[in-house]
Amino acid sequence: MSKSKQEVVGMLQAYVTAVTANAINHQFQAQVFGNQGFRKLQKKYDRHSTEELDFVTKAIDRMLDLGGDVKQEATQELPVITDFLTYLKADADKQTAGMQVLEQQVNHDNFDVTTYDLLKDYYIDEDEDLNWDLQTLDLIDQIGIQNYLTKQL
């Protein structure tokens, strides 16, 4: 059974709020890593932030298409972590938990085709981000954090 327009708008609003906060946090992390001299990490997290804000723009457009109201909601404080390995582990944990929620919510029976496609694309992007986190953690286990960070200069 498909969700009502009001339910879809409410769910999209929750995504807009959370993803906007994450995008800003990724911009902060990019600056921290760039300031530490890790330019490749800075570029990676800048791109990630841009991808998230692109999703936010599409979600807002969809909310408006459905006749909904858009709000800029406050969110809770997110940590800015200076140690890359600590950050990566925390991000992988957060991504894993987020993917579990997305898997439950992104069901073609719950949404109209346009909203489903939007959320499915977001799911695919988040899955790629989680895989990058996990692969990077595996690589660091194999070559060591110092060798990894040297490649990020």
Side-chain angles (χ1 to χ4, degrees):
M1 176 167 203
S2 188
K3 294 184 181 296
S4 71
K5 285 183 180 183
Q6 184 178 5
E7 290 172 312
V8 171
V9 168
M11 183 175 275
L12 288 173
Q13 178 64 60
Y15 279 112
V16 163
T17 299
V19 175
T20 300
N22 287 335
I24 293 168
N25 185 256
H26 285 125
Q27 287 177 336
F28 282 32
Q29 290 298 157
Q31 288 306 116
V32 167
F33 298 142
N35 184 266
Q36 293 171 345
F38 305 122
R39 299 293 177 218
K40 290 180 183 177
L41 291 175
Q42 181 178 20
K43 288 179 185 176
K44 186 252 186 290
Y45 287 102
D46 273 337
R47 277 192 314 271
H48 188 56
S49 176
T50 300
E51 290 169 2
E52 288 172 326
L53 290 174
D54 288 346
F55 168 76
V56 167
T57 299
K58 291 174 187 176
I60 289 170
D61 283 344
R62 185 66 189 138
M63 291 168 65
L64 295 171
D65 288 346
L66 293 170
D69 294 324
V70 179
K71 298 175 249 169
Q72 183 177 356
E73 298 175 322
T75 63
Q76 72 181 63
E77 178 180 306
L78 296 174
V80 177
I81 301 172
T82 57
D83 178 73
F84 175 69
L85 186 56
T86 301
Y87 172 76
L88 186 61
K89 288 177 181 178
D91 193 52
D93 290 344
K94 184 178 176 181
Q95 287 281 105
T96 299
M99 288 301 293
Q100 291 172 352
V101 171
L102 274 172
E103 285 175 9
Q104 293 172 354
Q105 291 179 347
V106 180
N107 180 327
H108 71 301
D109 292 333
N110 288 338
F111 300 102
D112 60 273
V113 173
T114 303
T115 304
Y116 172 74
D117 285 346
L118 173 65
L119 293 174
K120 182 181 68 170
D121 289 346
Y122 178 66
Y123 175 90
I124 290 168
D125 182 60
E126 290 302 294
D127 188 50
E128 289 170 359
D129 294 336
L130 175 58
N131 286 332
W132 186 89
D133 283 355
L134 297 174
Q135 290 170 353
T136 302
L137 285 169
D138 286 344
L139 180 61
I140 290 169
D141 281 345
Q142 292 174 17
I143 67 171
I145 186 65
Q146 293 307 318
N147 288 330
Y148 179 81
L149 290 176
T150 299
K151 293 181 171 276
Q152 303 308 308
L153 296 174

